[in-house]
Amino acid sequence: VSKKEFKSVLKSIISKSSIVSKEYDDITISEELDRLSDILSKGSTVNYQDFLDYIFDIEEKDVVIEMHRKLQIQIFQKSKLSIMSVIKQFSSSKTYNLGYVKLSEFKKILKKIYSKLSNDDIENLCSHFDFNNDGSIDYDLFVNWIYSGFNINEIIEKFSKQIKGINSDILKRHLLAYESRDNKINEQQFIEAFQSLGLLFNRPSLRALYSHLDKSEKGNISIDDILDFIFHHDANSTNETAYDRGRNYKKIFSEKMLIPITIRSEIADSIKKFMEQNQNSVGKLIIDNKDSNKHDVILRRNFRKLLATYGTQLKDDEESLLFECLDLNGENTLSCYDLISFLLGEALDNHYLSGKACDSLQSTLIKRKVTSKDIIKHLSKYDLKGTGYIDFSSWNSVLKKLCGQADITIDQINDLTKYFDPEKNGKLDIFYVSSFLLLTTDATRAENKLKNCFKLLRIKGITYHDTLMSTVGKDNVTSAISDVAETIDKELGLPMTYPEILLSLQKFQRRGVIRIETMLSALENQSETLNKTDKKELVLNQSYNFSSNNSNLGKTLYKKLCVLRSDKNRREELRTQILKKDFNFVNRITKRDFIRILDVNSSFTDEESSLLIENLSFIENHHENDLDYSYFLLFLMEPINLNLVSSGVELINKVMRGRDSTNLINFLSDLHKNFISYDNNNTG
């Protein structure tokens, strides 16, 4: 039907509904009907059958779901019947022109279509489609139900069209609410999640889409799988490369990185402009500014001068954060090589080429035990203008000289050239080449760098365990080393190249796989603790995570907490939800669970939730993924009667006279468990 007719029919139905009329005004109803007709439209007409399939979509029993699968195979795959030919099977009915058939006729036609159907199967189908229990069935709805999910390309096209209008951050947060404790989403959760978003899909179509995503047929998929699929199909309409899609995916869904995407983008843009407008290379400028008293390091004041020279416009807190992330030894200095590698890596955007470049290095320069100093020494001879650049012919000559004419192939030279000059400008930065060689050959250095990066992630309160555990295979224990390295490279935002990450993981791999828990335990337990000054300074430099009006963020959060505390019903509901998540009665729940509870029961913004979590978290060892909620519940109970406080203090003093603090904690934990055991209704 036309859009106009479709809207007219729905308006007349809505006008008879007192509930809808009271809740929504005419303008809102008209706008929503416009949106609805746009989603269902193909040109100027609307496919109203899609709408009816969605409206009359009733939850199926398992036997009905199995029947749906069997009927699809029989009718559309084996018999190869079209929808219209199936509908014609019902044309012999006297009520055909009215759009329905009686149950007795429906049963006969089912047997005719699929003779192997049992009587129980037929009764189950009759029970499911006789919506009003009036002994009749809408055959259009039945036939469309069978066809639903058969054409996966059509489903994907409709899905892409409908999902396009939903904000990516909202989508991710919405999906997190349906995630299981194993950080996966099963078929039923998938269906509920997307139906609650208001997408016009019936259950069979969403089941088919889920099966399409569940390649391994494990019966569960991750949120990242879903988001990656959505982004992939959204990007197919453009000319983006696979790596471009990865970059954009990272921008959309992985904002919580060690070095945020906003800083990375500013670095990339400013370095690119500098390279276009200046004769000297980025690497040469860094080497010229290194500290004369220390070996190959950049001091903080010189770091600021360099950023100014490159035209990089960062706020003070962003600049400090960047320095902290690159100061991997905690000595208030930066390695020239780390800085060169990071700045040019962001500007050239060549991460996707690093694998081939590293393989070529392993087969040539590293095999010949050529060092970064050797590279600088030989390449500098060809840098006649003193700019830090050499041309291709000089580069080829040096490679052949260092590796031997017969030991390096044209393909290997091309792989290396593409990595160092992906834009094909015809020149290579001498110091970038030497940096890459150094960073991809020193395994101990790479491992220490990864340790420090993980340490900084924990200090910033960024959880990475779940991200890495999402890479595990069918055994739920090990992951392919390449999968782990790729996940770290794409999602954690570390100042490390892919080959560096791969090198740092070599120690933990056995036959190409890594035990994630073992690796994390080794890297976290061996890492040295940052001193208090470093820790304090880094925490102070995190204001980029919050809104621009940072000075008022804490005040706003406190006001909202007070409002929440004054609302008895909301306060008690919040307390109940928190206690339900503390399965082991240890006064701790995961940050993810806490965020979900806040989203449902409070009006906190993302920034306010982050600030609250930061205040409730202990960034130590095994506590980086959870928080102590007891302080939060105490705040919601305030102001507490002073007599009660005095009694509590007196009790603690009595216990402390004969016990040490460890036993006191055990005592309070036992006390807490006893209280919980009597609180059958989880009222708190």
Side-chain angles (χ1 to χ4, degrees):
V1 294
S2 68
K3 286 185 180 181
K4 187 176 180 180
E5 290 169 327
F6 179 73
K7 287 172 62 179
S8 176
V9 171
L10 285 186
K11 273 185 178 178
S12 66
I13 295 171
I14 289 170
S15 64
K16 296 171 186 176
S17 168
S18 57
I19 297 172
V20 178
S21 300
K22 284 180 182 177
E23 194 157 342
Y24 303 103
D25 57 44
D26 291 341
I27 296 174
T28 304
I29 291 172
S30 182
E31 287 175 351
E32 292 302 321
L33 288 178
D34 282 337
R35 190 176 291 113
L36 182 63
S37 58
D38 285 341
I39 289 171
L40 294 168
S41 67
K42 286 187 175 179
S44 59
T45 59
V46 170
N47 184 343
Y48 66 82
Q49 193 62 55
D50 285 346
F51 176 70
L52 294 178
D53 290 342
Y54 169 73
I55 290 296
F56 289 100
D57 181 37
I58 298 173
E59 191 169 353
E60 307 130 310
K61 295 177 181 177
D62 290 341
V63 288
V64 177
I65 293 173
E66 182 59 25
M67 284 305 307
H68 178 262
R69 187 184 67 81
K70 287 180 180 179
L71 285 166
Q72 262 197 359
I73 293 171
Q74 175 62 30
I75 295 172
F76 298 118
Q77 290 183 12
K78 291 184 178 179
S79 302
K80 295 185 178 178
L81 298 173
S82 66
I83 291 182
M84 291 311 297
S85 58
V86 177
I87 289 176
K88 281 182 181 178
Q89 301 289 331
F90 296 91
S91 61
S92 58
S93 170
K94 293 178 182 178
T95 55
Y96 174 75
N97 290 330
L98 298 174
Y100 69 87
V101 293
K102 292 179 180 178
L103 283 179
S104 56
E105 294 173 311
F106 182 68
K107 291 175 183 178
K108 289 178 184 177
I109 294 167
L110 279 181
K111 272 289 187 183
K112 187 179 175 182
I113 293 173
Y114 190 16
S115 59
K116 292 183 180 180
L117 284 177
S118 67
N119 290 332
D120 287 341
D121 290 336
I122 292 173
E123 287 301 328
N124 282 319
L125 286 171
C126 289
S127 174
H128 182 74
F129 283 97
D130 186 8
F131 300 112
N132 302 324
N133 296 320
D134 60 358
S136 63
I137 287 177
D138 184 322
Y139 57 79
D140 274 321
L141 289 176
F142 170 70
V143 175
N144 276 282
W145 172 78
I146 298 173
Y147 187 73
S148 293
F150 180 68
N151 188 336
I152 189 63
N153 292 328
E154 187 179 291
I155 293 170
I156 290 171
E157 184 183 344
K158 289 179 181 177
F159 185 82
S160 300
K161 184 178 179 180
Q162 293 188 39
I163 207 75
K164 200 174 285 184
I166 300 175
N167 179 276
S168 57
D169 294 328
I170 292 173
L171 178 60
K172 186 171 186 179
R173 290 182 65 184
H174 177 77
L175 290 173
L176 283 171
Y178 290 86
E179 196 178 46
S180 303
R181 290 185 64 80
D182 61 356
N183 302 323
K184 299 287 185 179
I185 285 183
N186 62 33
E187 184 180 81
Q188 186 57 34
Q189 290 165 335
F190 180 84
I191 292 170
E192 289 174 3
F194 283 102
Q195 284 202 327
S196 65
L197 274 175
L199 299 191
L200 297 177
F201 280 95
N202 60 6
R203 285 173 175 79
S205 295
L206 288 173
R207 270 203 308 274
L209 187 59
Y210 185 88
S211 298
H212 178 73
L213 292 174
D214 187 16
K215 306 289 186 189
S216 61
E217 299 183 353
K218 290 182 180 179
N220 56 53
I221 54 179
S222 68
I223 288 178
D224 283 341
D225 291 336
I226 298 170
L227 297 176
D228 200 17
F229 164 77
I230 292 169
F231 176 77
H232 172 75
H233 283 280
D234 192 35
N236 273 347
S237 59
T238 71
N239 294 321
E240 290 176 306
T241 64
Y243 185 72
D244 289 331
R245 292 198 292 274
R247 294 280 291 181
N248 289 331
Y249 169 83
K250 187 159 65 174
K251 289 179 185 178
I252 294 171
F253 299 119
S254 300
E255 285 300 327
K256 286 196 172 181
M257 298 176 171
L258 182 57
I259 301 178
I261 207 71
T262 50
I263 296 178
R264 289 172 173 269
S265 298
E266 175 59 28
I267 291 287
D269 293 341
S270 59
I271 296 296
K272 276 182 186 175
K273 284 182 182 177
F274 177 85
M275 291 168 68
E276 290 169 1
Q277 298 170 1
N278 289 270
Q279 282 190 328
N280 290 346
S281 73
V282 172
K284 178 173 171 44
L285 189 60
I286 290 173
I287 294 297
D288 289 346
N289 279 273
K290 69 180 182 181
D291 184 27
S292 56
N293 298 320
K294 294 183 180 180
H295 184 62
D296 294 335
V297 298
I298 297 289
L299 299 178
R300 185 184 283 268
R301 63 175 180 273
N302 290 339
F303 172 71
R304 285 177 178 162
K305 288 179 183 177
L306 282 169
L307 290 184
T309 305
Y310 294 138
T312 307
Q313 297 179 349
L314 296 177
K315 298 174 184 175
D316 289 343
D317 54 347
E318 291 176 332
E319 188 181 290
S320 298
L321 176 73
L322 180 59
F323 188 89
E324 294 292 343
C325 291
L326 292 170
D327 178 17
L328 298 170
N329 296 318
E331 296 176 354
N332 216 27
T333 58
L334 307 182
S335 160
C336 290
Y337 301 109
D338 284 321
L339 185 58
I340 292 169
S341 177
F342 173 71
L343 295 181
L344 285 169
E346 292 302 315
L348 298 176
D349 201 8
N350 56 1
H351 303 258
Y352 65 107
L353 296 168
S354 59
K356 284 188 175 181
C358 191
D359 289 342
S360 297
L361 275 182
Q362 294 284 351
S363 307
T364 56
L365 296 172
I366 296 173
K367 187 178 179 181
R368 286 293 189 110
K369 297 183 179 180
V370 177
T371 67
S372 58
K373 288 184 178 178
D374 293 333
I375 281 284
I376 293 175
K377 180 181 175 182
H378 283 83
L379 292 180
S380 296
K381 292 178 182 177
Y382 293 89
D383 180 19
L384 301 177
K385 296 181 180 179
T387 59
Y389 286 118
I390 59 165
D391 58 27
F392 280 169
S393 60
S394 303
W395 166 242
N396 290 347
S397 300
V398 170
L399 282 179
K400 288 174 181 177
K401 185 175 181 180
L402 290 172
C403 302
Q405 185 83 24
D407 291 339
I408 187 165
T409 65
I410 294 173
D411 287 341
Q412 288 170 336
I413 292 174
N414 287 339
D415 287 339
L416 289 168
T417 305
K418 281 179 186 176
Y419 181 77
F420 297 118
D421 184 27
E423 301 291 331
K424 298 181 180 179
N425 293 319
K427 55 186 181 181
L428 286 78
D429 190 319
I430 295 170
F431 303 99
Y432 185 36
V433 176
S434 62
S435 298
F436 187 72
L437 181 60
L438 173 68
L439 300 182
T440 53
T441 53
D442 191 336
T444 304
R445 190 181 193 282
E447 186 187 334
N448 288 332
K449 196 171 179 181
L450 186 62
K451 283 180 193 176
N452 279 289
C453 286
F454 279 172
K455 187 196 310 178
L456 294 173
L457 284 169
R458 293 197 297 279
I459 290 173
K460 282 182 64 182
I462 296 175
T463 58
Y464 53 88
H465 280 218
D466 291 347
T467 304
L468 296 179
M469 287 303 294
S470 68
T471 64
V472 296
K474 292 181 180 179
D475 60 2
N476 292 324
V477 176
T478 60
S479 304
I481 185 172
S482 57
D483 289 345
V484 180
E486 189 173 344
T487 300
I488 292 173
D489 181 39
K490 284 185 177 179
E491 299 190 29
L492 299 185
L494 310 186
M496 296 179 72
T497 62
Y498 176 78
E500 263 188 292
I501 297 168
L502 208 55
L503 187 65
S504 68
L505 299 175
Q506 289 294 334
K507 175 181 175 180
F508 307 103
Q509 68 98 13
R510 297 289 182 274
R511 296 178 182 175
V513 297
I514 290 176
R515 287 179 173 267
I516 298 293
E517 292 290 357
T518 305
M519 177 199 76
L520 289 173
S521 177
L523 288 172
E524 291 170 355
N525 291 339
Q526 291 175 17
S527 58
E528 301 171 6
T529 307
L530 288 180
N531 59 51
K532 291 181 179 179
T533 306
D534 290 339
K535 200 169 185 179
K536 182 180 178 184
E537 186 171 2
L538 189 64
V539 170
L540 288 173
N541 289 332
Q542 291 181 52
S543 56
Y544 71 90
N545 274 333
F546 307 127
S547 62
S548 57
N549 194 9
N550 292 309
S551 58
N552 293 323
L553 179 62
K555 294 176 185 177
T556 309
L557 173 62
Y558 182 76
K559 286 179 182 178
K560 286 188 179 181
L561 283 169
C562 291
V563 171
L564 182 62
R565 183 170 66 187
S566 64
D567 188 331
K568 185 178 179 182
N569 292 333
R570 283 175 65 200
R571 186 180 69 207
E572 290 183 354
E573 178 62 26
L574 193 62
R575 184 188 299 122
T576 302
Q577 294 299 324
I578 289 173
L579 291 173
K580 281 181 180 177
K581 292 295 182 181
D582 184 9
F583 303 105
N584 300 317
F585 312 124
V586 293
N587 278 2
R588 304 189 76 83
I589 62 173
T590 64
K591 292 178 181 177
R592 180 174 291 174
D593 284 339
F594 191 71
I595 286 175
R596 288 175 181 168
I597 293 168
L598 289 182
D599 284 347
V600 175
N601 296 284
S602 72
S603 59
F604 298 143
T605 63
D606 289 349
E607 292 88 351
E608 289 163 351
S609 295
S610 298
L611 183 60
L612 181 58
I613 286 171
E614 187 183 322
N615 279 277
L616 294 172
S617 301
F618 291 94
I619 316 301
E620 295 172 357
N621 296 331
H622 59 283
H623 283 178
E624 69 269 12
N625 289 324
D626 54 19
L627 52 81
D628 190 322
Y629 65 79
S630 56
Y631 300 105
F632 180 64
L633 294 187
L634 281 172
F635 179 85
L636 293 182
M637 288 173 61
E638 288 178 350
I640 301 172
N641 188 291
L642 286 176
N643 291 331
L644 179 63
V645 176
S646 300
S647 301
V649 172
E650 189 176 342
L651 172 65
I652 299 300
N653 283 332
K654 285 180 180 178
V655 176
M656 283 298 286
R657 285 170 196 159
R659 298 167 180 261
D660 59 23
S661 58
T662 304
N663 281 325
L664 172 61
I665 292 169
N666 292 335
F667 164 72
L668 292 176
S669 180
D670 290 340
L671 192 64
H672 183 231
K673 287 179 183 178
N674 276 284
F675 284 143
I676 291 287
S677 67
Y678 288 100
D679 182 16
N680 296 322
N681 297 322
N682 285 327
T683 61

